[in-house]
């Protein structure tokens, strides 16, 4: 869910200013130890956001605590905890324009329509009174490349093909079901951000079991 909150303090400022992980990153960054600032930040955030321990990025960080893996973990903490963002508009802008988003025009946001106007989407999102869901689907690099889901076009096509099933899972009538996505091509774990909400009076509803259904939709 996405709520207006400043709970996670300066996290967004840190993430918004960091450079995206680049596959051509130099050896010093790859093997260098995390900075003291990174270590303190991770310790603090893991206590507030324990679910991140289920992520690929956390596994990589524990197995190999480098500066690069620390940076990837901090980004994951932010992206999986949208309460860190001051408001819905800020979150949409972040996923559409942050480093390593694959841009389809001047930004990386895509949806069911052919051309997404980022400014209009931000205004619409900001005026939604109901819940805005923010699913993230992450793959390991080798799996993304093997399956062909290492680019925005493939993800856009997949979500468009599955949107009726997704509307049913979220308990939103299809004519009120709205979604947007953005593909972040991180070196280790490329992932897709989604924003899901109802445009009409429908409230929508999703349970833990439904979350597994969402994963299953993308797997089949």
């Amino acid at each position: 869910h996405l709520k207006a909150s400043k709970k996670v303090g300066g996290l967004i400022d840190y993430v918004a200013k960091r450079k995206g992980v680049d596959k051509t990153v130099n050896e010093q960054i790859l093997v260098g130890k995390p900075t003291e600032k990174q270590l303190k930040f991770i310790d603090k955030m893991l206590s507030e956001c324990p679910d991140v321990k289920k992520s690929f990025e956390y596994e990589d960080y524990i197995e190999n605590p480098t500066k690069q893996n620390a940076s990837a973990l901090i980004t994951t903490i932010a992206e999986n905890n949208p309460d860190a963002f001051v408001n819905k508009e800020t979150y949409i802008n972040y996923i559409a324009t942050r480093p390593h988003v694959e841009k389809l025009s001047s930004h990386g946001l895509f949806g069911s329509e052919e051309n997404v106007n980022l400014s209009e989407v931000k205004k619409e999102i900001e005026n939604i009174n109901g819940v805005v869901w923010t699913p993230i689907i992450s793959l390991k690099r080798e799996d993304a490349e093997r399956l062909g889901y290492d680019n925005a076009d493939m993800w856009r096509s997949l979500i468009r093909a599955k949107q009726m099933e997704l509307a049913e899972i979220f308990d939103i009538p299809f004519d009120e079901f709205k979604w947007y996505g953005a593909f972040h091509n991180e070196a280790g774990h490329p992932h897709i951000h989604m924003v899901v909400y109802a445009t009409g009076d429908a409230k929508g509803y999703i349970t833990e079991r439904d979350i597994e259904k969402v994963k299953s939709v993308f797997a089949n």
Side-chain angles (χ1 to χ4, degrees), residues 10-158:
L11 179 60
I12 294 312
D13 188 55
Y14 180 96
V15 175
K17 294 178 181 177
R18 69 177 282 273
K19 293 183 179 179
V21 178
D22 194 303
K23 286 186 281 186
T24 59
V25 68
N26 65 49
E27 191 68 18
Q28 183 178 359
I29 297 297
L30 284 171
V31 301
K33 293 182 179 180
T35 65
E36 184 176 347
K37 182 178 179 181
Q38 285 179 317
L39 292 172
K40 288 182 178 179
F41 215 91
I42 289 171
D43 285 344
K44 177 179 182 294
M45 297 315 303
L46 285 178
S47 64
E48 295 186 22
C49 311
D51 285 350
V52 79
K53 292 181 180 180
K54 301 175 184 178
S55 69
F56 293 136
E57 288 80 4
Y58 179 75
E59 291 179 10
D60 287 348
Y61 174 73
I62 293 300
E63 292 177 6
N64 189 20
T66 63
K67 188 181 296 184
Q68 182 189 22
N69 286 343
S71 181
L73 177 59
I74 290 169
T75 300
T76 295
I77 292 171
E79 294 178 342
N80 281 277
N81 293 275
D83 278 1
F85 295 82
V86 175
N87 53 43
K88 302 167 188 173
E89 182 180 356
T90 304
Y91 183 77
I92 289 291
N93 193 69
Y94 170 75
I95 67 170
T97 62
R98 60 148 285 189
H100 257 223
V101 65
E102 183 177 323
K103 294 185 178 181
L104 301 174
S105 56
S106 60
H107 57 79
L109 204 66
F110 56 81
S112 57
E113 62 266 45
E114 282 305 314
N115 298 302
V116 174
N117 185 311
L118 181 57
S119 296
E120 290 181 2
V121 173
K122 288 192 291 185
K123 289 179 182 177
E124 181 176 270
I125 289 282
E126 194 62 24
N127 291 320
I128 293 294
N129 292 320
V131 174
V132 177
W133 288 275
T134 56
I136 300 172
I137 298 94
S138 180
L139 297 175
K140 290 190 174 182
R141 168 61 61 182
E142 56 268 28
D143 292 332
E145 292 179 349
R146 175 174 55 84
L147 297 169
Y149 291 108
D150 55 355
N151 62 84
D153 283 336
M154 282 293 291
W155 277 106
R156 178 171 55 183
S157 297
L158 176 64

